[in-house]
Amino acid sequence: MTEAQTLTLIRPDDWHLHLRDGAALPHTVAWSAAQFARAIVMPNLMPPVVDTAQALAYRARILAARPAHSAFEPLMTLYLTDSTPPAEIARAKDSGAVHGVKLYPAGATTNSDSGVTALSRVYPVLEAMQRSGMPLLVHGEVTDTEVDVFDREAVFIERHLDPVRRAFPELKIVLEHITTADAAAWVRAQHGRDARGAPLQGATITAHHLLYSRNALFAGGLRPHYYCLPVLKRARHRAALLDAATSGDARFFLGTDSAPHARAAKESGCGCAGCLTAPHALELYAQAFAERDALPRLEGFASCFGADFYGLPRNAARVTLRREAQRVPDVLPYLGDDGIVPLAAGDSLPWRLLPVA
Ligand code: DOR
Ligand code: ZN
C-alpha cells in the first residue's frame, strides 16, 4: 500500500503560545497566523497582564500586528498574582476576550516573579473561577530548589495540584506543557465533566516534548535551543506523552508553548528557557504522530479537543499537509541582527503545511 501523500484536517489552534509584545509582534503573530486560526496567548509579559483592561489592550496590539487579510484570533489570558481580586474574574468573563487565568508559581520560569507564592492565597479567586467556568491554566512545577529539576512537575502535582483539584472539583484546569508519564497519568485519572459535557481536565503537549528526550540537550555538546521549562525528560516520559497525544483521548490537546528568545539570549552563559516552534509547528507535530503511525489522530488533538474543552466552535476551514521534505532555516529574522534560532534548525522535516488561502 502506498502511503498517503497529503493529510487534510480542520484548521488547528494553538492552546498555549507566547507572542511577546512590541517589535516582536509582527514576527510572532505572522508565524502563528500562518499555522493556526486561534491561540491562547500567555500573559507573562514584563510587566505581566494582570487584569482585563490590560488583556484587552494587549489583544488590540496583537490584532494590529496581524498580516494583511489574516483573521488570526488571539484568545487572551490573565496572569494570576497573590493580589488578583476575585471580582476580576467576572470582568474577564464578561469581556468575552479572556479565556483563562494562568498560574505561574513565583520564580518557576521566564517572567514569573509576580506569580503566586502560595496557592492558598488565591483560593477565593479559584472559587470565582470555578463558579464562572473560567479555566485555570497551570505551569505545573515546584520552585523549591531542593527538588531535582527533572522531578519538579511530578512533585507539583502531588503537593499542589491534587489539593487544588480536591478543593475545587468543578474547576476547569489545563495542566500546561506536560512532560512526564506522571502528569499524563494524573490527567487520565480526572473524569469530571462540565455542564456542556466537556472534560473539566485538560492538558497541552508541545511538539518538542513529543519529539525529543533530554538527550537532545546534550547531543555532542550543550544545545541551548532545546532548553525549555519544564525541561525535556528521559525517553520513557516522551513515550508516555506520545501515547497520550495519539490516544484520541480528548483531554490531551495541542499547545506549542512556542517561546521566542533572540539568539543571543539563548546562546549565553545563562540562557533563557523556551523553544521557538511556531513557524513549523504543525509539521513538527505531524512528524511526531507519524512516528506512531497515528496521523489520522492528529486532527482530534490539533483541531478539535482544545476547542471542545474551551467551549469554542471548531474551525470551519481546513488545512493540508503534504509529504514533502523541507529544511528548517538556521536562523529567522527577529528583533536584533542575530535573529532567532527555531527548534530543529538545519533539520529536514518530512511534512510541509501548504499555505492557507
Ligand atoms: O520554556 C519556557 N519558556 N517555559 C515557560 O514556561 C515560559 C517560556 C517563556 O516565556 O519563555
Ligand atoms: Zn508557556
Side-chain angles (χ1 to χ4, degrees):
M1 203 175 77
T2 55
E3 287 180 302
Q5 295 306 302
T6 60
L7 178 69
T8 295
L9 54 159
I10 296 172
R11 188 145 199 233
D13 304 300
D14 184 351
W15 301 99
H16 184 130
L17 175 64
H18 298 269
L19 288 174
R20 312 305 189 204
D21 205 353
L25 285 177
H27 299 286
T28 58
V29 174
W31 292 326
S32 290
Q35 293 262 332
F36 298 106
R38 299 170 287 196
I40 286 276
V41 179
M42 288 296 132
N44 63 332
L45 304 182
M46 282 285 251
V49 178
V50 296
D51 63 31
T52 307
Q54 290 170 355
L56 292 174
Y58 182 30
R59 179 172 181 275
R61 296 196 294 279
I62 295 167
L63 293 177
R66 290 187 302 188
H69 312 300
S70 169
F72 177 73
E73 195 185 339
L75 308 170
M76 308 314 291
T77 61
L78 300 187
Y79 185 115
L80 187 60
T81 74
D82 286 353
S83 48
T84 301
E88 190 60 39
I89 301 305
R91 281 193 286 276
K93 187 83 184 171
D94 291 347
S95 77
V98 176
H99 296 267
V101 176
K102 181 74 188 278
L103 165 68
Y104 287 104
T109 186
T110 308
N111 302 346
S112 62
D113 296 349
S114 321
V116 172
T117 58
L119 268 159
S120 54
R121 298 216 162 118
V122 296
Y123 269 30
V125 185
L126 300 186
E127 177 71 49
M129 290 171 63
Q130 174 170 259
R131 219 176 313 118
S132 69
M134 177 68 78
L136 177 70
L137 317 182
V138 179
H139 184 111
E141 286 192 289
V142 288
T143 53
D144 182 346
T145 50
E146 295 291 302
V147 177
D148 189 279
V149 69
F150 292 100
D151 296 334
R152 286 183 191 172
E153 182 174 272
V155 173
F156 180 89
I157 291 169
E158 191 186 305
R159 277 193 203 164
H160 302 295
L161 196 54
D162 251 338
V164 166
R165 179 41 94 205
R166 277 197 298 276
F168 301 99
E170 307 283 306
L171 180 63
K172 285 189 76 91
I173 301 178
V174 183
L175 188 50
E176 299 289 348
H177 44 53
I178 61 169
T179 63
T180 57
D182 314 61
W186 187 85
V187 169
R188 279 209 185 84
Q190 309 299 314
H191 296 291
R193 300 212 165 247
D194 65 16
R196 291 178 293 102
L200 284 170
Q201 186 64 52
T204 52
I205 308 182
T206 76
H208 41 295
H209 290 99
L210 290 175
L211 287 169
Y212 305 105
S213 75
R214 64 193 191 181
N215 281 2
L217 281 163
F218 309 108
L222 189 58
R223 304 274 184 174
H225 300 292
Y226 292 81
Y227 172 57
C228 63
L229 287 171
V231 70
L232 295 170
K233 303 297 192 298
R234 60 170 68 240
R236 82 174 171 84
H237 292 296
R238 175 169 97 89
L241 299 178
L242 274 171
D243 288 346
T246 61
S247 65
D249 183 328
R251 290 169 290 190
F252 299 102
F253 42 86
L254 184 157
T256 62
D257 196 18
S258 184
H261 293 279
R263 181 176 196 149
K266 293 287 291 174
E267 298 175 5
S268 142
C270 185
C272 293
C275 298
L276 177 68
T277 53
H280 303 90
L282 262 192
E283 289 97 327
L284 293 164
Y285 280 106
Q287 187 179 347
F289 274 62
E291 189 182 324
R292 288 294 181 90
D293 266 331
L295 283 169
R297 293 268 168 91
L298 183 60
E299 184 177 56
F301 176 81
S303 315
C304 302
F305 303 153
D308 299 349
F309 177 91
Y310 279 94
L312 295 168
R314 296 176 183 180
N315 297 312
R318 288 190 152 60
V319 297
T320 297
L321 285 152
R322 184 194 289 152
R323 198 186 295 273
E324 173 190 317
Q326 66 168 315
R327 187 179 179 282
V328 177
D330 295 321
V331 63
L332 292 170
Y334 196 53
L335 302 175
D337 293 344
D338 291 349
I340 190 165
V341 179
L343 189 84
D347 290 356
S348 175
L349 304 182
W351 290 88
R352 176 189 290 277
L353 178 66
L354 300 185
V356 180

